[in-house]
Amino acid sequence: GMKEYTNTGTLNHVSEQKFHNIYEKKFRNFSFQEEDSNITRENRKKKSELYRKFLFSLFSSIDEFFIYKMIDNERQIRTISVAGSINSGKSSFLTSIISFNSPYLKDSIYKHMRTDEDIMKTTIIMTPLLKSIRKNNKYNTYYFLDTPGHSNLFQDFNLALCISDGVIITIDSIEGVTLQTKKIINSCLYTKKKIFILITKIDRLISELRLPPSTFYDKIQSIIFDVNLIIKNSNKKQDYFSFSKSNIGILSAEIGLFLTSEILNKLYHSIYPTIFKLFFPKEWIWHTENFIVGKNILKSNPKEPGSHNPIIFFAIIPIYKLYSFCLSENPLKIMQFIHKTNFSNTLLNLNFPLKNLMKFVFKSVFDYPQSTYEKFSEYFESSKHLNQLFTNSMSKQSSKKSSIFSHTAKNHFYDKYMEKKVFLGIKFFPNSYGKKFLLFGRILNGKIVNNDSLYAKNFNNIVHNFKINHFFLINCFQLKRIKSIKKGNCLVIEENNNLNEIPILITEESKVYESNPFIDKNLLKNTYPLKITIEPAYSMDLTKLLSGIQKYLKTSKNTIASVQESGTVQISGIGEFALNLMIKEICDFFSLLKVKVSNPFISLKETIECSSKFKSISIAQKSRIYMEIMTEKINLIKEKNEITKKYLSYQNDEMKHFYTQEYIMEKVKISNLSNNLWSYQVHDGFLNILSEYKTSYNDKQILKIRSTLIKAFLMACRTGPICMEPVVNINFAIQEIKSIEKIQQIFKKEISSCMKKLCHSSILISTPRILEPYSEIEVVTPFESSKMIFNILLNRRAIILNDMPIQGTLHYRILFLIPTINTIGLETDIRYHTQGQSLIIGFFKGWYIVPGYPISNQNNIKKNNIAHNYMKKIRRKKGMSEKINFSNLINESIIMKLLFNK
């Protein structure tokens, strides 16, 4: 867990100049004290650990005066999320801008809290990083949020998006725009966050693929084209990306290259150290054949092919020349350069001198990493605009009450609450094996001081009293306790109020907001198609297991859990990786016990294929009520062979539709079976309607039981007749309901039971079908492995949507739909057969009809009937008989009609 180090260092209560002298001296000693070839890996790890402890104590022992000076000016504070596909260079980029010159610093200060992150070489938990740059006696403070790259952990990015001033999206130059990149861009467009595109690992295009400058340019342009295509299909107001608009940068964190149009302008005007004017003058970088020295004029007929393009001429060709200089066949020129730059002392004990020479050259020419901070400081707006965000949120909430408040009253309403303290918490970090939790978030307004008594409102609008005892600045899970902090800063607060749901809004008054105006519920809604059941290996550990699950769910929104009547715990997750991660965390960290895990299974939905041709009839014998219902399909659910017809590679994902009363009334009016709405139910974006054919009923006895009928309709929608799964996309149209004879007593339980059976019987006679979840998965693999992947997908009922080579590379992209139940073990299978060279990204896509009919009497069809096999397995799992007892659900008169019709 995270540790807090006390102020035991030598830097407590020292002057600012002395602090910087000590820090720079220590940094320099560790930076250039490179290891010999005889030093073992264990000794290197020991040195890294000692240096990490030094940095921990250094951060925690800084005098508070300097801390307040760093975080006091809200105009110089920026919170930036860094997002991208897995292995797209997010953590490498952040590591390089912190510790470009020091391998010890690289291995130590950005040490992840989890050991499995170092083993897997990927980020699993969102990592906050604080970096303060001192320039002209002022501090520019940056909070970088390194978000996980795995698609199953996508909710961490959505949470980080809520408190960010902007987003840096990293795109691998070889893999290009992936399915996850599309999701990230759509989320940013939905929340209107500013985007900066960072094309990473461009050194691989030169060293591995050995592309010429013109092909290098075409590869970069194809990535920009794909990004702009996503923006075009989204129909959102967003500027397109291009180098001229300075919203794109190319990066190589390995050699220290960060290039934008501003940096190119500095190179053009020779704004870099004077020593490089001797070795890299304009005549050498841009050729005298193509450039007139001193007049900034290009010749009309350049000799070098492709140099007529300004980006190739000004940006790409200089990169190639600097790259080839560091790997030159002329060692004399390199030795002269090393001697004049005093770089020889550094190269004496290095194992890879050319690699370090390349870092030194590119760092000096492109001013890396200082140029990155300057660019982000100019590009992203500072935290001073949080006031505007706060006012806009309040205006959205109060717009519903515009008829109540006058203009003067509204201004008073804003003035009153603009002075309030507002903190938005988005993530719980466990400490001390889950005994305590630290709430990470950002101050949106006001100033937080120790012992503040505030109110915390969670995602479900439940208000708790919240007293702030201790809060800390956080830097890569290093903590520094402070006494007060202003708006715009990120921090962690010790949580002791048993808050469970994130995000959490902390304010001064409990009635400031009716709901959380800074969080869009559409953005954080999840579908959990995969399920498992777990139980402790020893029954006495059940309480311990439930406690561990509760603690884990506090830190993650990628899974949910519920306790079954049998005593087992059912866990639902976004994907296989999210479920495996939860089990590992519970067993190794939160509960420290062994559990039994079932085979994974999926949730299903029940629907109908067409409207019923017969009325379903039911009579309540005691209450003497006669009811008739017909079912009607609300909208078309596509068969699996119709999925590919209307599919677009970069089609914008629509947000989940919230059904309104007007929308549902339109559906009812269009229907031929009903024209008056009684009730409706929304489940996972699906709609069920209860309506009637007649406009009204004047029978008082019917009006008394109307609420009972509606409750029975809702119960029938929760559990269907086929395999006790939710019912979706059905309009239950009441054709007739009347009392046979008037009696004084009404038996509501009997009426409720009859109504539920009536709904179920109407489903069974309307060609019932089963829906299963599908996932959309993208695989990037070397071309020679593509045939092997197609063979793997052949046995998993996958539907290939798109397969094409990636421009300028030897890789192949395959996009397909696959039933979620068949994704179990798919990632492991593909990585194993391609020797780990494939990238797999997957998201939940939607619900589609299972092939076959669940109710079938023909033996030859049953063998290949997937829907019928699903029904038998689910009913057997829930302890029911494999066959449906129709006599308990369908009235005898309906059976006679069916027989007569046949």
Side-chain angles (χ1 to χ4, degrees):
M2 290 177 289
K3 297 180 181 180
E4 179 201 352
Y5 290 84
T6 57
N7 297 338
T8 56
T10 60
L11 300 178
N12 199 13
H13 305 293
V14 296
S15 66
E16 183 178 7
Q17 187 62 39
K18 187 176 179 182
F19 159 69
H20 285 289
N21 291 340
I22 295 175
Y23 181 81
E24 289 174 2
K25 182 179 178 182
K26 293 284 187 180
F27 180 80
R28 189 178 296 110
N29 290 340
F30 275 92
S31 297
F32 297 106
Q33 187 182 353
E34 305 289 349
E35 72 272 27
D36 297 329
S37 57
N38 297 327
I39 293 180
T40 62
R41 185 177 297 178
E42 294 181 359
N43 292 335
R44 178 181 169 84
K45 285 185 177 180
K46 289 180 181 179
K47 287 188 176 183
S48 297
E49 187 64 25
L50 290 173
Y51 190 53
R52 186 170 69 89
K53 290 181 178 180
F54 160 72
L55 290 169
F56 272 127
S57 60
L58 178 66
F59 181 72
S60 59
S61 59
I62 298 176
D63 193 272
E64 290 188 6
F65 171 78
F66 307 124
I67 288 287
Y68 295 142
K69 194 171 181 180
M70 289 162 54
I71 63 177
D72 187 59
N73 190 356
E74 63 186 52
R75 296 184 179 182
Q76 305 301 327
I77 298 174
R78 287 158 183 82
T79 301
I80 304 170
S81 294
V82 183
S85 302
I86 189 169
N87 296 330
S88 62
K90 301 180 296 296
S91 299
S92 300
F93 162 62
L94 292 177
T95 304
S96 67
I97 62 177
I98 302 169
S99 56
F100 186 73
N101 289 327
S102 172
Y104 288 109
L105 189 64
K106 182 176 180 179
D107 295 339
S108 304
I109 192 171
Y110 202 60
K111 186 79 174 177
H112 293 294
M113 188 180 71
R114 306 169 55 96
T115 56
D116 52 355
E117 286 187 338
D118 294 327
I119 297 171
M120 298 174 65
K121 302 299 180 184
T122 185
T123 303
I124 294 177
I125 186 172
M126 182 181 67
T127 307
L129 171 66
L130 168 63
K131 183 68 176 179
S132 187
I133 303 297
R134 189 184 181 212
K135 187 176 181 181
N136 299 329
N137 294 325
K138 291 183 180 180
Y139 287 96
N140 291 331
T141 303
Y142 304 88
Y143 293 95
F144 292 105
L145 305 180
D146 183 13
T147 59
H150 200 284
S151 56
N152 283 180
L153 309 177
F154 190 71
Q155 277 303 318
D156 277 11
F157 165 71
N158 285 334
L159 288 169
L161 200 61
C162 299
I163 64 170
S164 300
D165 296 321
V167 181
I168 300 171
I169 301 178
T170 59
I171 301 176
D172 193 320
S173 59
I174 292 182
E175 294 163 359
V177 176
T178 62
L179 183 64
Q180 188 162 352
T181 309
K182 174 189 170 185
K183 293 279 184 182
I184 292 170
I185 293 175
N186 284 331
S187 295
C188 295
L189 295 176
Y190 181 75
T191 54
K192 299 180 181 179
K193 297 292 184 182
K194 201 166 186 179
I195 304 172
F196 185 84
I197 299 295
L198 195 60
I199 302 174
T200 61
K201 303 181 183 180
I202 64 163
D203 58 294
R204 295 180 63 190
L205 299 179
I206 304 173
S207 61
E208 294 181 15
L209 300 181
R210 301 182 183 277
L211 301 180
S214 57
T215 311
F216 184 104
Y217 170 75
D218 293 338
K219 175 60 180 173
I220 299 297
Q221 283 299 112
S222 68
I223 294 174
I224 298 172
F225 175 80
D226 291 341
V227 172
N228 289 332
L229 188 61
I230 297 172
I231 296 172
K232 181 181 178 181
N233 292 330
S234 67
N235 296 323
K236 301 287 185 182
K237 291 183 179 180
Q238 169 70 31
D239 292 337
Y240 290 117
F241 290 90
S242 67
F243 281 105
S244 61
K245 294 181 180 178
S246 192
N247 50 14
I248 283 183
I250 59 176
L251 171 80
S252 172
E254 186 68 23
I255 63 176
L257 168 63
F258 177 70
L259 190 61
T260 61
S261 58
E262 292 93 345
I263 297 173
L264 277 176
N265 188 45
K266 290 182 179 180
L267 285 173
Y268 184 80
H269 293 286
S270 301
I271 305 176
Y272 44 75
T274 55
I275 187 66
F276 289 94
K277 293 181 182 179
L278 300 175
F279 290 93
F280 312 121
K282 290 184 179 181
E283 295 89 338
W284 182 79
I285 292 180
W286 289 301
H287 278 301
T288 54
E289 293 86 355
N290 299 330
F291 181 77
I292 300 178
V293 181
K295 294 187 178 181
N296 296 346
I297 298 175
L298 288 174
K299 291 185 179 180
S300 60
N301 187 20
K303 294 183 179 180
E304 190 165 344
S307 59
H308 60 276
N309 189 305
I311 296 178
I312 297 177
F313 181 79
F314 282 102
I316 299 176
I317 291 178
I319 293 174
Y320 273 69
K321 288 184 177 180
L322 291 171
Y323 203 95
S324 61
F325 169 79
C326 299
L327 304 176
S328 173
E329 295 90 1
N330 188 355
L332 180 60
K333 192 173 182 180
I334 294 179
M335 292 307 296
Q336 289 176 355
F337 171 80
I338 291 172
H339 179 71
K340 289 191 177 182
T341 54
N342 294 324
F343 196 56
S344 56
N345 295 330
T346 310
L347 291 175
L348 290 178
N349 296 320
L350 293 182
N351 295 326
F352 304 99
L354 292 180
K355 183 177 179 181
N356 285 272
L357 172 66
M358 191 177 298
K359 282 187 175 184
F360 185 73
V361 169
F362 277 93
K363 173 186 180 296
S364 303
V365 172
F366 295 99
D367 195 20
Y368 189 84
Q370 187 65 33
S371 57
T372 61
Y373 296 117
E374 292 179 0
K375 173 60 185 174
F376 299 146
S377 179
E378 296 171 2
Y379 187 77
F380 294 107
E381 296 178 349
S382 64
S383 303
K384 63 181 180 180
H385 296 282
L386 284 174
N387 274 341
Q388 184 179 358
L389 170 67
F390 187 77
T391 305
N392 290 339
S393 302
M394 294 300 298
S395 62
K396 286 179 184 178
Q397 180 188 339
S398 59
S399 61
K400 301 176 183 179
K401 303 178 181 180
S402 57
S403 59
I404 301 175
F405 293 106
S406 64
H407 182 72
T408 307
K410 281 184 181 179
N411 290 336
H412 176 71
F413 184 74
Y414 297 149
D415 293 340
K416 179 181 178 182
Y417 293 113
M418 278 293 295
E419 300 173 357
K420 300 300 180 183
K421 302 176 182 180
V422 181
F423 174 82
L424 182 61
I426 62 165
K427 185 74 175 176
F428 278 110
F429 293 126
N431 199 9
S432 304
Y433 288 93
K435 294 179 182 178
K436 292 182 181 181
F437 288 89
L438 298 173
L439 177 61
F440 172 76
R442 188 181 187 187
I443 305 175
L444 303 184
N445 202 67
K447 180 181 180 181
I448 290 182
V449 186
N450 267 340
N451 300 321
D452 272 347
S453 294
L454 305 174
Y455 293 91
K457 185 177 292 189
N458 63 10
F459 198 60
N460 295 324
N461 295 330
I462 301 174
V463 181
H464 302 270
N465 293 326
F466 192 91
K467 186 175 181 180
I468 298 179
N469 296 323
H470 304 289
F471 55 90
F472 311 85
L473 282 180
I474 183 170
N475 181 22
C476 293
F477 306 110
Q478 309 165 49
L479 302 179
K480 168 65 180 177
R481 184 178 295 180
I482 53 177
K483 297 179 181 178
S484 65
I485 189 168
K486 292 183 179 180
K487 70 174 181 178
N489 287 284
C490 296
L491 69 152
V492 290
I493 301 175
E494 258 190 14
E495 185 271 327
N496 51 8
N497 297 81
N498 296 322
L499 300 173
N500 295 321
E501 288 279 340
I502 51 175
I504 295 173
L505 186 67
I506 299 177
T507 58
E508 267 188 277
E509 294 189 8
S510 59
K511 297 182 180 179
V512 172
Y513 304 106
E514 295 176 0
S515 60
N516 193 335
F518 301 101
I519 299 292
D520 195 312
K521 290 188 176 181
N522 268 348
L523 194 67
L524 300 182
K525 278 208 167 185
N526 266 337
T527 302
Y528 304 96
L530 270 181
K531 298 181 179 180
I532 55 172
T533 56
I534 64 172
E535 57 181 330
Y538 305 100
S539 56
M540 60 182 178
D541 292 333
L542 180 60
T543 306
K544 197 175 179 181
L545 174 64
L546 295 177
S547 175
I549 291 174
Q550 186 178 8
K551 290 176 181 177
Y552 178 79
L553 294 178
K554 192 170 183 175
T555 64
S556 173
K557 289 182 72 69
N558 301 308
T559 51
I560 56 175
S562 60
V563 182
Q564 305 297 304
E565 295 179 358
S566 60
T568 60
V569 181
Q570 180 175 293
I571 300 175
S572 304
I574 296 175
E576 183 185 10
F577 182 79
L579 293 174
N580 289 337
L581 183 63
M582 181 176 181
I583 295 171
K584 180 181 181 301
E585 287 293 287
I586 291 170
C587 295
D588 297 344
F589 186 76
F590 289 103
S591 295
L592 300 176
L593 49 79
K594 294 182 179 180
V595 296
K596 299 177 183 176
V597 185
S598 70
N599 292 327
F601 56 97
I602 55 173
S603 54
L604 302 173
K605 310 284 184 191
E606 299 180 23
T607 188
I608 58 175
E609 189 177 23
C610 57
S611 302
S612 58
K613 298 180 179 179
F614 302 100
K615 296 178 181 178
S616 187
I617 304 169
S618 180
I619 300 174
Q621 298 294 338
K622 295 182 181 180
S623 302
R624 309 302 293 165
I625 301 293
Y626 175 83
M627 294 177 284
E628 290 182 356
I629 279 185
M630 294 184 71
T631 54
E632 184 181 25
K633 192 172 184 178
I634 292 178
N635 57 359
L636 179 66
I637 299 173
K638 295 180 177 60
E639 292 278 0
K640 76 168 190 176
N641 57 356
E642 298 178 5
I643 294 172
T644 58
K645 292 181 180 179
K646 296 184 179 180
Y647 182 84
L648 294 175
S649 298
Y650 292 102
Q651 185 179 10
N652 180 36
D653 290 337
E654 296 180 358
M655 290 294 173
K656 291 185 178 178
H657 180 67
F658 277 91
Y659 297 101
T660 61
Q661 189 80 12
E662 292 79 9
Y663 173 81
I664 297 169
M665 285 300 296
E666 287 179 6
K667 284 283 184 184
V668 173
K669 289 177 182 177
I670 294 172
S671 171
N672 296 322
L673 300 179
S674 57
N675 55 15
N676 189 22
L677 179 68
W678 273 32
S679 180
Y680 67 93
Q681 182 222 31
V682 178
H683 175 74
D684 283 349
F686 292 101
L687 177 66
N688 293 315
I689 297 175
L690 178 63
S691 57
E692 60 178 348
Y693 181 71
K694 296 181 180 180
T695 55
S696 62
Y697 289 105
N698 297 322
D699 193 339
K700 293 182 180 179
Q701 196 166 0
I702 302 302
L703 294 176
K704 289 181 182 179
I705 63 171
R706 177 166 174 157
S707 61
T708 305
L709 295 175
I710 291 174
K711 290 179 182 177
F713 154 74
L714 297 175
M715 291 171 59
C717 291
R718 292 191 194 102
T719 54
I722 301 175
C723 45
M724 300 295 286
E725 295 289 340
V727 173
V728 296
N729 285 1
I730 299 179
N731 176 17
F732 295 94
I734 301 175
Q735 299 300 297
E736 188 174 1
I737 179 169
K738 62 182 180 179
S739 55
I740 300 174
E741 59 181 276
K742 294 184 179 180
I743 57 175
Q744 294 182 353
Q745 187 176 2
I746 296 176
F747 298 91
K748 291 187 177 181
K749 288 185 179 180
E750 182 195 24
I751 294 172
S752 178
S753 176
C754 289
M755 181 64 179
K756 185 178 177 181
K757 288 182 179 179
L758 190 60
C759 293
H760 286 175
S761 63
S762 62
I763 293 173
L764 292 175
I765 64 175
S766 304
T767 319
R769 300 296 293 270
I770 296 176
L771 302 178
E772 67 174 332
Y774 268 68
S775 297
E776 185 180 15
I777 296 180
E778 183 180 66
V779 177
V780 178
T781 184
F783 182 78
E784 59 270 14
S785 305
S786 58
K787 189 174 181 180
M788 193 177 299
I789 292 177
F790 284 124
N791 292 333
I792 294 172
L793 299 179
L794 186 64
N795 300 322
R796 292 179 180 260
R797 292 198 292 134
I799 307 166
I800 306 298
L801 299 174
N802 191 6
D803 60 305
M804 59 184 298
I806 301 176
Q807 181 179 352
T809 68
L810 300 176
H811 286 68
Y812 203 75
R813 177 178 282 114
I814 305 171
L815 187 66
F816 56 91
L817 286 179
I818 186 171
T820 304
I821 189 63
N822 291 337
T823 61
I824 302 298
L826 177 64
E827 185 173 356
T828 306
D829 205 6
I830 291 177
R831 288 186 183 276
Y832 175 77
H833 285 89
T834 60
Q835 298 180 354
Q837 299 180 69
S838 298
L839 172 70
I840 300 99
I841 299 171
F843 290 93
F844 171 76
K845 180 62 178 176
W847 300 86
Y848 298 95
I849 291 178
V850 180
Y853 294 90
I855 302 173
S856 177
N857 294 323
Q858 300 180 11
N859 292 328
N860 58 343
I861 297 178
K862 282 183 181 180
K863 295 179 181 178
N864 300 321
N865 192 343
I866 299 175
H868 185 75
N869 296 333
Y870 272 14
M871 183 197 72
K872 290 197 300 183
K873 289 179 181 179
I874 294 293
R875 290 181 69 87
R876 195 186 308 125
K877 186 178 183 302
K878 294 184 177 181
M880 300 183 292
S881 61
E882 294 183 1
K883 296 182 179 180
I884 300 174
N885 191 350
F886 290 91
S887 60
N888 292 340
L889 297 174
I890 301 179
N891 194 282
E892 293 181 0
S893 59
I894 302 176
I895 297 175
M896 294 300 295
K897 284 185 179 180
L898 291 172
L899 292 173
F900 181 75
N901 183 64
K902 187 175 180 180

